[in-house]
Amino acid sequence: MTPLLEIDILLYPGAQLAAAHGLSDLFSVANRMAAEHPGAALPVLRTRHFGADAAGGISCQLDSHPGATGQPSVAILPPCLGPLPADEALAPFTAWLGQRHAAGATLSSVCAGAYLLARTGLLAGRVLTTHWSLARDLGERFPELTVDADKLVVDDGDIITAGGVMAWTDLGLALVDRLLGPTIAADTARFLVLDLTRHSQQYFRRFTPVLTHGDEAVLKVQRWLQRDARHVSLAAMAAEAGLGERTFLRRFQQATGLRPTEYCQQLRAAKARELLELTNRTVDQIAWDVGYQDPAAFRKVFTRMVGLSPMDYRKRFGPRGAGERSREVADGAALL
């Protein structure tokens, strides 16, 4: 008899149903790909959806293989696009996750699902990822864990977390790789036209300065830098704040979580991204525009902060050049 590996998807309040059904479809495709290798004796992935029932408990609401028996191998928390409810409303779900983990299942989450996963108390000392915009808040709410929002997927054995809202595809392929092997994962990715090589969400991140810290002197400097962060010194920032340099340095880092030089680099990189996305200026011109006299230094800093070189970033996110559009017109004419 072909063994079944159970993958349970938990539909907690606010869970994105599109992701839950998308994962079910992905695992169904993986089963089809595995069936094309009968000699490999691969297991079948069984997908079940669990949600709250009328009695206040958690029960199965959808089963790809009804009536089958087996032990759960993986439990998945899909992403959530809205705020999670209060802790008491989530208590049955965290208890369910704890039971699944105690039974030997791997727990996994996508995007904001990491909040519910963190509430189980099973992540102390662990590293996980979530959507880049949620990383700071998640780390502050659960200081016992480490958030690495640059990574798209963090596989920590019995805990697997994925970053962005659409990273459920990356999590799904990672689970297929683990449960059915890399060949089936690659076949599944090709069938669904998914990129199996994505590893980072770093280049999707946008710098969002902290402006709610309550330090008026630091906030004054932040607003000043927002207007122009190209050529500023520590002395000039301290003078703008009306503070001594050592006091300003301490208060700025305490308020923003960054040293002033790091903060300015973030602002310059954000402006450079905008210019790479929306203009056809050369990389050297953009380097000068955002305050770097040495374009090579700009390239080095940009690549370290964004995860892509300026040219690679433009290829992925920038405008198509006139030459490319001309080639497309010529190619289209050749087909007529």
Side-chain angles (χ1 to χ4, degrees):
M1 180 180 295
T2 303
L4 284 178
L5 297 180
E6 297 183 2
I7 300 176
D8 297 337
I9 301 173
L10 183 58
L11 303 180
Y12 59 93
Q16 188 185 33
L17 297 181
H21 290 293
L23 282 163
S24 296
D25 290 341
L26 188 150
F27 297 134
S28 176
V29 170
N31 283 333
R32 289 173 56 186
M33 298 299 106
E36 295 178 1
H37 303 270
L42 294 169
V44 172
L45 303 183
R46 176 192 191 186
T47 306
R48 299 190 295 175
H49 292 189
F50 282 80
D53 55 33
I58 307 297
S59 60
C60 181
Q61 300 179 351
L62 182 149
D63 191 341
S64 65
H65 294 74
T69 58
Q71 284 292 109
S73 298
V74 178
I76 300 176
L77 291 163
C80 174
L81 296 179
L84 289 172
D87 285 355
E88 53 269 20
L90 295 174
F93 298 92
T94 55
W96 183 91
L97 289 167
Q99 294 164 3
R100 282 294 189 271
H101 188 259
T106 295
L107 302 186
S108 57
S109 68
V110 183
C111 191
Y115 281 87
L116 184 52
L117 191 56
R119 281 185 169 91
T120 64
L122 298 170
L123 273 64
R126 300 289 196 104
V127 177
L128 77 159
T129 189
T130 187
H131 193 284
W132 58 266
S133 68
L134 304 175
R136 184 185 182 96
D137 180 67
L138 182 64
E140 290 175 348
R141 291 196 191 190
F142 302 96
E144 70 278 8
L145 51 84
T146 300
V147 183
D148 184 353
D150 286 343
K151 289 188 171 63
L152 200 59
V153 176
V154 173
D155 187 337
D156 197 27
D158 58 331
I159 302 289
I160 306 176
T161 52
V165 177
M166 295 302 295
W168 60 264
T169 60
D170 304 278
L171 175 65
L173 291 174
L175 290 171
V176 172
D177 188 311
R178 173 185 285 200
L179 300 174
L180 299 179
T183 297
I184 305 305
D187 289 346
T188 302
R190 279 192 290 270
F191 183 88
L192 294 172
V193 198
L194 295 174
D195 185 355
L196 195 58
T197 63
R198 297 200 313 166
H199 301 293
S200 175
Q201 59 175 335
Q202 185 178 5
Y203 39 80
F204 293 106
R205 298 179 69 171
R206 284 291 187 269
F207 176 55
T208 306
V210 179
L211 302 173
T212 56
H213 45 72
D215 190 323
E216 289 295 331
V218 172
L219 188 60
K220 180 182 178 184
V221 174
Q222 288 179 274
R223 290 169 176 160
W224 179 58
L225 292 174
Q226 198 68 44
R227 292 192 294 271
D228 189 355
R230 289 178 297 175
H231 305 290
V232 291
S233 64
L234 177 61
M237 287 186 276
E240 181 70 15
L243 301 170
E245 289 187 22
R246 293 182 61 183
T247 301
F248 169 73
L249 187 62
R250 174 179 55 79
R251 284 174 56 174
F252 189 93
Q253 187 166 0
Q254 183 178 21
T256 67
L258 296 169
R259 294 190 293 270
T261 52
E262 295 172 331
Y263 190 92
C264 289
Q265 286 178 340
Q266 290 283 3
L267 290 176
R268 292 169 185 161
K271 182 61 177 178
R273 285 184 184 220
E274 179 182 324
L275 294 173
L276 288 166
E277 292 171 9
L278 301 177
T279 76
N280 286 315
R281 296 180 193 176
T282 68
V283 173
D284 285 1
Q285 288 173 328
I286 290 173
W288 297 324
D289 287 343
V290 301
Y292 287 89
Q293 295 181 344
D294 181 0
F298 163 71
R299 288 179 172 86
K300 183 177 180 180
V301 172
F302 186 92
T303 302
R304 173 173 56 81
M305 296 179 65
V306 178
L308 293 171
S309 70
M311 285 302 297
D312 287 339
Y313 186 88
R314 168 166 277 166
K315 288 176 183 177
R316 185 179 286 260
F317 298 108
R320 294 179 299 167
E324 181 181 345
R325 286 191 291 270
S326 296
R327 286 193 298 274
E328 288 181 353
V329 170
D331 291 342
L335 293 175
L336 296 178

